[in-house]
Structures are given as C-alpha cells and as structure tokens.
Amino acid sequence: MLTGLSVRDIVLIERLDLACGDGLGVLTGETGAGKSILLDALGLALGRRADAGLVRNGAGQGVVSAVFDLPAKHPAHAILTEQGLDAADELVLRRVVGADGKSRAFVNDQPISVALLRRLGDTLVEIHGQNDEQGLTDATIHRALLDEYAGLEKDVSGLRDAYQAMRDAEKALIDAAQTAEQARREEDFLRHVVNELQELSPKPGEEQELAQQRSMLQAGEKLAAAMQEAQGALEQGGGVDARLRACLRALERVAEKAGGKLDAVIAQADQVLLQAGELASALDRTARDLDLDPQRLDKVEERLFALRAAARKHNVAVDDLAAMADRFAERLALIDNQAASLGKLEKAAAAAKTAYQAKAETISAARRKAAAKLDKAVAAELAPLKLGAAKFSTSVEALPPEQWSAEGADRVQFLASTNQGTAPGSLAKIASGGELSRFMLALRVVLAGRGSAGTLIFDEVDRGVGGATAAAVGQRLARLAERVQVLVVTHSPQVAAKGSHHWRIAKRETGAAKNRTTLTEVAPLQASERREEIARMLAGATVTDAARAAADSLLAGQEG
C-alpha cells in the first residue's frame, strides 16, 4: 500500500508531501489543474521514463519518493532478496531527475538500476489511465488470474511437479538414446579395437619389465663372459673351497694347544667356507637361469614394439592400454544391452507424460468451467457502467504438446469487444480512455484483488459518463477498495462522494506581476471543504445552496 508521496520540483509542483491511507482515495480539481502531473510524478518513482521536461523550470533537479507498506509475502521482498538488497516492511522508492534528463534510482537509499525500479514498481502499483494501461492487459498473467479465481493454486503446484518429472524422464531417455546412437555409429571400430587389444592382452607395468629384459638381453655376451670369469676365479688354483678347507684343517690341528685363542678364527674360517660354497652355488644357478638366447631377445623386442605401436595408435600410455580395453568393452556391452535399458526409460517417460496429461486435463476442465463463470460475472458488471454493448470472454485454448509448460496445456487470454458486432480482441487493443478504464474496473471488481498490486490507480475512469453510471462507477471503486488501496482521479461528484480520503488539486500563481510563477498544489480536504468541492463539481464556477444540498445528499450515500 502507498503510504506517502513526496515530490520536489516536478513540472508545476514545487513541493508536495502527500500522506495516503487505505480504502478509496479521490483526487479532484478543475480541468488543467495538474492531476496528470501528479500521476507523472508517481510514475517516475515507479520507474517510468524520465526526461528533462519533467524538471520544474529553474530547478537543478526533480526528486520523487514513494513510500510503501509491504505485507510479509509481497513479491517485492523476493525481488530485493534476489538482488542482494536489504528488505524491510517499509519500502521507499526514490527517483532523482537532473535538468539534463539523466536520472538515478534508489530503493531504501540503496542505488539501483531504473529497470529494477520499474520491476519493483510493477508489483506495487497498477495504473489504469488514458494512455497508461498495464496489469490486466498483460496476457501473460491471465492464466494465473483465472487459476486464482478458480482456486486452482494447489492443483497447479502439483502440475508443476508433474511437468518437471516428465521433463526429467524425457531428458534421461534422450541422453541414453544419444549415447546408444553414438555407440552404434562406433560399433565396428569398438569391436575391432577390443578384439585387437584382447589379442594383445596388455598388462600394467609390462612395458618397464620388457624394457629391462631387453637391456639385459642386449648385453648377453658381456654377461656370459663376466659369469664365466667369476666362476673361473673361484676355481683357479684348485678352487677357493679347497684352499679354505686346508686353512681350516691346519688351524684345527693346533687349536687345543692354543688355549682357545684360535676358536674365533676357526669359527670365522668355517663361516667363510660356508659362504664361499653358497657363492659358487649362486653363480652356478644364475648362469643357468640367464636365458641369453638371441631368439628370446627378438621376441621381447617384438612384444615391446607391438605394445608401443598400439599406445601410439590410440594416443595413450602403454600402461593405459588395459584400462582403455575395459572401457571399450563396457561401451560394447551398452550396445548389446541398450534395447532393454532404453525400453525401461521409454516406459518411465511415457508414464510421466501420462501423469502430467491427466493433471493438465483436469486443470483445463476446471479452467474452462471457471472461465464461463468469470465471463458471466464480468458481463453483470458491464451494463451498470454504461458498457452494455461490450462483451467479455475468457479464451482457454489447448496448446500443442511442444508448447506445454509447467503451468499447463492451455493458453488463457481475456478478450473483449466494446462495440456491437465487432470481433473480440485482446484487452490491450480495445477502446482506450475512460471506456477501457471502466472495463478494467469491472474486471478488477470481479477478480476482487486477485493477482493485483497493492495499489490500483484509475485516471478518469468516469470520463464521458454521469448520473447513475457515475454512481455505479463510484460504488464499484468503493467495493474494490475494501480489498486493495484504490486511488482515482475523477471529475465526477458521484465518484468523489464515495472516497474515504479526498484531495483537491489546484493551480496558484506566485511572485510579482512580471515574474509570476504557476504552481500546482494538492490539499487534503476536511468534511466541510469536501462538501464545498463536491458542490463545485456539481454546480461549476458558482456554488449554490442547491449544489451544497446535492453534495450533502451524495455524501450521505443517496443518489443526487
């Protein structure tokens, strides 16, 4: 709800501080007094277009601030949170326009873009005027409005879940089918590679082992000569073993006479003799184990070259050949099993689609039923507003499957015609001015505030009507104001009399004769002042007692 409007140096307004309340607020004044200026000023705070012509002549800049009281679940809170801005129960929108036409925007004294200001403003105020239609003319919100009117919010929430489940199942099927198709295109290649690698049978670490064997085999002659030389050295001069035994026997013969002093030497000689035997045996075994056959070298090199060639072919390391073979084998298994896997995914996708369709069809039927009820209710409001020739209809059109959405399988649009015999068209394209404003009023009364901003503004909704029709307009504005805050700019005394708040807009001139300045001022009216203003609206320039009596009658709720 708009609680306050502050205007500084905008067109003819030098300084204005307007306190607003709930219910129906009316703004009246003579033609040309500047009522449109007030709406232009509010439009600036809501993010509408700014230009240098809006700044009062002689001023360096113009400033407009609009203060709103926000309920806890108002959509503006979500927008502020999304943008990382501080949110509070009171929201202050401010726009500063320089004499050069450049402007700055603020929310709660935090700088923001004009686009964000407009986005916030659209959630706060809905204006129905001569050249400023929004809200109900926006076909993108018609489906949500019809759903709220029909009480389908929970059903639509469930439909969104079903839609997401359907999309997830379809994506899983598409992804699996694409993977299978790619695998099918590669099947011949995969089978060739898998057969080739299975035949090669590479093993991790095999390259290093073969390289070591190759190095050893390439040095075969040197190894053989070294082994022979080592064995010959052990056997030279009768052999190390024989000489060690002779040494040991010589020591043992005199050991008893040495009083134990030779025991350690004998033990050491005995140990050396044992190790010498082991050394000879080890040399003999190693000589037998070394397979230095040149033919074996050929086989090792052939295996090593085959592994490295396969690695180069597939652009991997030799040690990764085995893992690659396993991966390719798994992809082949997918091809072999794809029919069963895709079959399960197809069933899941079909079941999800059936579940979505069932919910969507139920909601579509409820929408069509609610649309007929809404059309009838709006039609009942049109005649008293002097729109008896107008027709309203809610189109609920089935969409093709490719256009289904989380909101359902329907396109909902409010259509209207204001003249007999003309085809219905979108609300944004029917008659303009007061006629369209009254049409929007009728629709708003029926929707009873559903989906609307917290503040509705009607600019001369009573244009071109009077008497009973103007009274009907006033009654409907007052009824609508029971649900949301309503501000109306009016020339009708019947409408003005219905207001719970009343402001008079007037011009006055200031300054000396040669430098006179015209200013627009807005003044709240007390009971006696309000009576006089309504009498002026009834009588014109000269207010008579009869006009005052008629004003009293209107203020008392009687038709005058």
Side-chain angles (χ1 to χ4, degrees):
M1 180 181 75
L2 178 67
T3 60
L5 180 66
S6 174
V7 183
R8 300 289 185 272
D9 294 319
I10 296 295
V11 193
L12 298 180
I13 300 176
E14 182 180 26
R15 183 183 184 90
L16 170 66
D17 292 296
L18 191 66
C20 305
D22 56 6
L24 175 61
V26 297
L27 297 102
T28 63
E30 295 180 356
T31 300
K35 295 184 289 295
S36 62
I37 297 175
L38 190 62
L39 293 183
D40 289 341
L42 177 59
L44 279 176
L46 299 175
R48 304 303 172 84
R49 184 177 178 180
D51 59 64
L54 290 172
V55 180
R56 189 173 65 85
N57 187 30
Q61 65 178 26
V63 182
V64 183
S65 298
V67 183
F68 295 88
D69 181 26
L70 297 184
K73 295 184 179 181
H74 194 281
H77 286 300
I79 296 175
L80 292 171
T81 301
E82 169 194 313
Q83 298 294 323
L85 297 169
D86 295 335
D89 293 338
E90 184 177 79
L91 186 69
V92 181
L93 304 183
R94 181 161 58 93
R95 186 85 170 276
V96 180
V97 183
D100 57 0
K102 295 181 180 179
S103 72
R104 292 170 292 150
F106 303 85
V107 56
N108 291 350
D109 287 328
Q110 300 170 88
I112 60 172
S113 67
V114 174
L116 178 56
L117 184 68
R118 178 66 182 260
R119 187 178 168 196
L120 286 167
D122 287 345
T123 69
L124 297 164
V125 178
E126 185 176 303
I127 299 176
H128 300 289
Q130 307 302 313
N131 301 303
D132 193 358
E133 294 299 330
Q134 64 175 84
L136 291 177
T137 60
D138 183 0
T140 62
I141 70 170
H142 292 175
R143 180 164 52 194
L145 288 172
L146 181 62
D147 289 344
E148 288 187 35
Y149 181 76
L152 293 173
E153 294 93 330
K154 290 185 178 179
D155 300 85
V156 174
S157 178
L159 182 67
R160 293 191 189 101
D161 293 339
Y163 179 78
Q164 188 60 51
M166 178 179 72
R167 292 300 302 271
D168 290 344
E170 289 174 345
K171 186 178 185 304
L173 175 60
I174 291 172
D175 290 347
Q178 289 176 343
T179 300
E181 178 60 29
Q182 182 179 0
R184 278 194 294 272
R185 289 194 298 268
E186 299 175 352
E187 182 175 2
D188 291 342
F189 168 75
L190 289 173
R191 293 198 185 281
H192 171 74
V193 172
V194 169
N195 290 337
E196 182 183 69
L197 292 178
Q198 285 178 344
E199 183 177 346
L200 185 62
S201 187
K203 298 176 180 60
E206 186 178 7
E207 181 187 26
Q208 182 178 0
E209 181 182 344
L210 289 171
Q212 291 173 346
Q213 290 181 24
R214 180 188 179 209
S215 296
M216 182 188 70
L217 291 170
Q218 285 177 335
E221 292 183 2
K222 292 182 179 180
L223 286 172
M227 293 296 294
Q228 290 175 358
E229 182 179 352
Q231 287 176 318
L234 290 178
E235 295 172 357
Q236 188 176 2
V240 173
D241 184 81
R243 293 198 298 275
L244 286 172
R245 290 182 182 281
C247 174
L248 184 60
R249 285 196 297 272
L251 292 173
E252 287 176 339
R253 284 196 296 270
V254 296
E256 294 181 358
K257 298 178 180 180
K261 293 189 178 294
L262 294 179
D263 291 350
V265 176
I266 292 171
Q268 187 173 2
D270 197 26
Q271 183 66 27
V272 170
L273 178 63
L274 178 63
Q275 291 177 345
E278 291 176 350
L279 174 61
S281 298
L283 280 172
D284 185 57
R285 285 196 305 273
T286 302
R288 290 197 304 272
D289 292 342
L290 280 175
D291 183 1
L292 300 177
D293 187 349
Q295 291 184 352
R296 185 164 178 268
L297 174 61
D298 292 341
K299 291 181 180 179
V300 168
E301 287 186 333
E302 181 181 349
R303 174 68 176 175
L304 184 60
F305 293 158
L307 289 171
R308 288 176 173 174
R312 286 194 300 272
K313 178 179 179 180
H314 298 291
N315 195 29
V316 297
V318 173
D319 283 348
D320 294 335
L321 285 172
M324 188 185 75
D326 292 340
R327 290 196 304 272
F328 282 13
E330 289 174 2
R331 289 169 68 177
L332 278 176
L334 281 176
I335 296 175
D336 295 335
N337 298 327
Q338 67 182 347
S341 299
L342 288 177
K344 291 180 180 179
L345 291 173
E346 285 172 354
K347 289 180 179 178
K353 183 177 182 180
T354 299
Y356 169 83
Q357 281 184 283
K359 289 181 180 293
E361 288 171 1
T362 299
I363 289 174
S364 295
R367 283 172 176 163
R368 288 190 292 270
K369 184 177 179 180
K373 182 180 177 182
L374 177 62
D375 294 349
K376 185 177 180 180
V378 173
E381 294 290 333
L382 296 178
L385 296 175
K386 204 177 179 179
L387 291 170
K391 301 293 183 185
F392 174 84
S393 61
T394 305
S395 169
V396 181
E397 176 188 357
L399 293 171
E402 62 270 17
Q403 295 183 27
W404 290 352
S405 72
E407 309 302 320
D410 311 302
R411 177 186 291 112
V412 177
Q413 188 174 13
F414 296 156
L415 304 175
S417 64
T418 55
N419 297 302
Q420 194 71 35
T422 59
S426 67
L427 291 178
K429 296 180 180 179
I430 65 171
S432 61
E435 187 178 47
L436 180 54
S437 293
R438 279 181 280 130
F439 201 103
M440 304 308 288
L441 173 59
L443 187 51
R444 265 291 169 223
V445 169
V446 172
L447 291 173
R450 292 179 174 89
S452 70
T455 300
L456 303 181
I457 296 178
F458 291 87
D459 184 11
E460 297 190 17
V461 65
D462 50 9
R463 186 181 186 188
V465 300
T469 301
V473 170
Q475 290 168 359
R476 280 150 181 78
L477 287 168
R479 196 193 317 166
L480 185 57
E482 295 174 359
R483 299 292 188 93
V484 294
Q485 182 188 43
V486 179
L487 299 176
V488 57
V489 175
T490 180
H491 288 291
S492 168
Q494 290 90 344
V495 173
K498 294 293 183 182
S500 50
H501 311 281
H502 193 157
W503 297 273
R504 186 171 188 267
I505 303 175
K507 288 181 180 178
R508 70 177 179 89
E509 294 184 348
T510 64
K514 292 184 179 180
N515 298 303
R516 296 187 72 79
T517 301
T518 301
L519 298 177
T520 291
E521 295 181 337
V522 180
L525 301 182
Q526 303 302 318
S528 60
E529 296 170 319
R530 188 178 180 198
R531 175 198 186 211
E532 199 70 11
E533 172 65 6
I534 293 176
R536 181 199 63 76
M537 297 172 71
L538 287 164
T542 303
V543 179
T544 64
D545 289 340
R548 292 187 179 94
D552 289 335
S553 178
L554 287 176
L555 289 168
Q558 303 172 12
E559 291 188 8

